[in-house]
Amino acid sequence: MLVLNSGSSSVKYQLLDMADGRRLAGGLAERIGESGGGGRIVHTSGDGGRRERTLPFPDHAAALGAVGEELRADGLGLDSPGLAAVGHRVVHGGTRFTEPTLVTDEVLEEVRALTPLAPLHNPANVTGIETARALRPDLPQVAVFDTAFHATLPEAAARYAVDRAVADRFSVRRYGFHGTSHQYVSRAAAGLLGREPSEVNVIVLHLGNGASASAVAGGVCVETSMGMTPLEGLVMGTRSGDLDPAVVFHLSRVGGLTMDEVDDLLNRRSGLVGLCGDNDMREIVRRREEGDREAAVAFDVYVHRLRKYIGAYTAVLGRVDALVFTAGVGENSAPVRAAATAGLEGLGITVDPELNAGRGGGARLVSPPGARVPVAVVPTDEEFEIARQAFALVGRSPR
Ligand code: ADP
């Protein structure tokens, strides 16, 4: 299975062997469409060997062509008869796409029609699909949606309390994102506990550059922190997360900012970067330890928001069987995990300082043995989840 995550100027790819889940190759083609011909592809082979090339990428077709060349150099070309299908990450499925979907012309049209809800992402995802289809028209292409896992949100969680007619007319509701990650991680957490996903209630904290929380009851997502767009919820690398919407009116009326300027401010110049100039948690923790006040406040605002969501989702679920940290910050930052869970013994949540500070490759518990709410670190694997779902759809169930 080839998995493609196509952005407006980059394509991330991974080739997976579904017989054993092995990663055969992967990489990133970036700077697509940049003038000056400065495209770059970084490719990692299954044996860990890394190659890097710069060459012009006038469009996605050129970038995917280079991906094909790199794969061919590993003996795994796009023309390989073993390639079963291509799984594509698609950001927004609206209310229309709640399952992995075999791509047809009609499906592409419908994904394109959702562009107003994801103006940067969906057009790039469509371009990636079209390019892959042109290269291998005989192969099934499967779209796997970031929003799909959240389609089960009850109306009480999905609806904003705004005028019904206006909301419905403009598709204003909460969709949620990072769905493949929340799905993969909540299942893997059940596995770590030796239980079926249907038996456990899990809070997942996906803390990457983008960040979101979800409450998953018996394998079904019942609440998530991102909303109509990925802007809502947790404090992120460059996004503000939750905000009084009147801040937007104020910035417009009093600050004189245009809508595009407010959009840019809240999506790209806020969050950790807005608070302290850095969005890398390693750097923020280092600066904080050196007594940097801005970094300390950024850390505290980030953690305070996380703690609010842990409390809220405990109330939503009623019974919590695991609290799970994932993605770049969640998997790697012991200080964030420690601060986010400090003093939550009343909720049954504690971490063991030694286990929390330890580094381990796979999924692991960081709470003391016998803790009422196990706290886990589970590395996310969105590409594997996309491959698994797409592969299941094309009729050859993996493993
Ligand atoms: P993306 O949302 O881009 O997929 P990732 O899940 O890869 O993001 O997370 C990227 C973020 O993870 C970085 O911005 C950085 O803040 C954080 N991160 C990565 N490694 C560490 C680490 N060792 N300690 C703390 N934070 C880390």
Side-chain angles (χ1 to χ4, degrees), residues 64 119 314:
L64 261 193
T314 299

Side-chain angles (χ1 to χ4, degrees), residues 141-163:
Q141 313 273 336
V142 180
V144 177
F145 298 88
D146 241 31
T147 47
F149 185 56
H150 307 302
T152 49
L153 248 57
E155 191 171 7
R159 216 173 237 293
Y160 291 113
V162 299
D163 182 294

